[in-house]
């Protein structure tokens, strides 16, 4: 995955909910964090550099968590890392309502793609 993209990405496994892993909530398996930095200017074109981290929370490394759930979560987070999708709705009912109300937002919702492959 890393070879074809202009971003650097990293995986961080969190043993607890502190420091860089403070966003791990009780039901969170993994999440993506990143930042974009632009530099250059003047006579040189501006360059954008992105760093993206997928963080696996303690629940994501728990052997009691089903492998299929972990796999779908990884897919969901990879959608964030490789496309413009965000988070809007997570439940099937919420996604159907979102599709009726705002089809574009439903299309750029990471959970919509995850639900599709599920």
């Amino acid at each position: 995955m890393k070879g074809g993209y202009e971003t650097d990405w990293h995986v961080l496994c969190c043993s607890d909910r502190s420091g860089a892993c403070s966003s791990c909530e009780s039901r969170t398996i993994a999440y993506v964090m990143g930042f974009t930095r632009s530099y250059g200017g003047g006579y040189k074109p501006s360059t954008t550099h992105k760093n993206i981290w997928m963080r696996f929370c303690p629940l994501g490394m728990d052997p009691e968590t089903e492998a299929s759930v972990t796999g779908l979560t990884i897919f969901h987070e990879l959608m964030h890392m490789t496309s413009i999708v965000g988070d809007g709705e997570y439940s099937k009912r919420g996604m159907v309502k979102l599709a009726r109300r705002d089809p574009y937002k439903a299309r750029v919702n990471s959970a919509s793609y995850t639900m599709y492959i599920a």
Side-chain angles (χ1 to χ4, degrees), residues 49-97:
H49 180 75
K50 294 181 180 181
N51 287 299
I52 301 174
W53 294 271
M54 184 183 300
R55 299 197 169 155
F56 285 91
C57 296
L59 185 60
M61 297 180 289
D62 187 335
E64 298 293 318
T65 302
E66 291 183 37
S68 61
V69 172
T70 302
L72 288 170
T73 301
I74 292 169
F75 177 82
H76 174 100
E77 300 307 330
L78 286 172
M79 290 301 298
H80 290 305
M81 294 171 73
T82 60
S83 69
I84 64 164
V85 301
D87 287 320
E89 292 289 340
Y90 288 97
S91 71
K92 185 176 180 180
R93 182 174 299 201
M95 286 187 275
V96 169
K97 287 181 182 178

Side-chain angles (χ1 to χ4, degrees):
M1 182 180 143
K2 196 170 186 176
Y5 294 93
E6 295 178 10
T7 57
D8 293 327
W9 59 275
H10 311 277
V11 174
L12 174 65
C13 295
C14 303
S15 58
D16 59 40
R17 295 180 184 99
S18 63
C21 302
S22 61
S23 293
C24 286
E25 296 175 4
S26 62
R27 297 185 61 198
T28 303
I29 294 174
Y31 64 98
V32 171
M33 286 190 71
F35 66 88
T36 303
R37 176 178 50 219
S38 294
Y39 53 92
Y43 64 92
K44 291 184 177 182
S46 179
T47 303
T48 300
H49 180 75
K50 294 181 180 181
N51 287 299
I52 301 174
W53 294 271
M54 184 183 300
R55 299 197 169 155
F56 285 91
C57 296
L59 185 60
M61 297 180 289
D62 187 335
E64 298 293 318
T65 302
E66 291 183 37
S68 61
V69 172
T70 302
L72 288 170
T73 301
I74 292 169
F75 177 82
H76 174 100
E77 300 307 330
L78 286 172
M79 290 301 298
H80 290 305
M81 294 171 73
T82 60
S83 69
I84 64 164
V85 301
D87 287 320
E89 292 289 340
Y90 288 97
S91 71
K92 185 176 180 180
R93 182 174 299 201
M95 286 187 275
V96 169
K97 287 181 182 178
L98 180 62
R100 287 185 184 134
R101 186 175 64 246
D102 191 337
Y104 177 78
K105 279 189 180 178
R107 191 175 66 77
V108 294
N109 180 32
S110 185
S112 297
Y113 291 92
T114 306
M115 187 70 69
Y116 176 76
I117 67 159

